[in-house]
Amino acid sequence: LNGLELKEITNTNYIDNSLLTATADCYQADGSVPANVLDNNPNTMWHSNWNETTMPHWLQLSSSEPVAINGISYLPRQSGSTNGNATKYHIEISDDGQQWNEIASGNLSSDASEKVIEFDRVVTSHIRFYFDEAVNNNGSAAEFKLLNADVAADVEGLQAAIDKAAAAGCGRNGLYRAHPHSAAGDSSHLGGAG
């Protein structure tokens, strides 16, 4: 055990933020740097320079190795203000940081709730979130996370939970089994009253 390094548990549904770097078109020099969107602390944030209100603003996440993703989680600032919250966005990806392709676009509510934007699986090294329209023509974010497209369903874990529930008398006299071929290892009723 000597030499082992203790690490924080990471949610495997997301690409590990320690593998990513963040940059932006600009930032407010009060500590609101792009790296704040990767610190797993919703009380810090990136904010565009208050004096640069020409849209769009953008925030870029980059990885030294290509990653398979199928979505992005955007947590707007959590300070009580909506200044900089995206209301219209588009997302672009690039393999080299030079040539970009749009993969998603849409509208968002300006509240502080987490926004999860899903798209088809892509493998890329760079992803940019563009704030096409935002409150007061600024850009801000507390956290960004990339959804890991290669997370396998934990069918065995699901089956263990189903077995435990069945042993406790749950399932209303039916038999349930996790199927590895269902979308997320959903349980399916195999017989009995249900």
Side-chain angles (χ1 to χ4, degrees), residues 6 61 167 171:
L6 189 60
L61 303 178

Side-chain angles (χ1 to χ4, degrees), residues 87-107:
T87 56
K88 185 175 183 179
Y89 71 91
H90 77 274
I91 298 171
E92 295 183 359
I93 60 169
S94 173
D95 293 330
D96 60 8
Q98 303 297 316
Q99 301 294 320
W100 295 88
N101 297 308
E102 184 174 323
I103 59 168
S105 64
N107 297 305

Side-chain angles (χ1 to χ4, degrees), residues 56-76:
H57 291 294
W58 55 262
L59 190 121
Q60 179 176 316
L61 303 178
S62 298
S63 174
S64 61
E65 297 291 326
V67 292
I69 58 174
N70 61 355
I72 190 168
S73 165
Y74 160 52
L75 183 66

Side-chain angles (χ1 to χ4, degrees), residues 81-140:
S81 171
T82 59
N83 188 46
N85 289 2
T87 56
K88 185 175 183 179
Y89 71 91
H90 77 274
I91 298 171
E92 295 183 359
I93 60 169
S94 173
D95 293 330
D96 60 8
Q98 303 297 316
Q99 301 294 320
W100 295 88
N101 297 308
E102 184 174 323
I103 59 168
S105 64
N107 297 305
L108 300 170
S109 64
S110 65
D111 61 33
S113 67
E114 177 185 26
K115 281 70 168 144
V116 177
I117 302 162
E118 295 179 331
F119 43 79
D120 290 339
R121 181 185 189 275
V122 294
V123 177
T124 190
S125 297
H126 308 281
I127 184 165
R128 273 191 187 169
F129 183 95
Y130 283 86
F131 293 71
D132 294 325
E133 294 178 10
V135 178
N136 294 326
N137 288 339
N138 289 134
S140 66

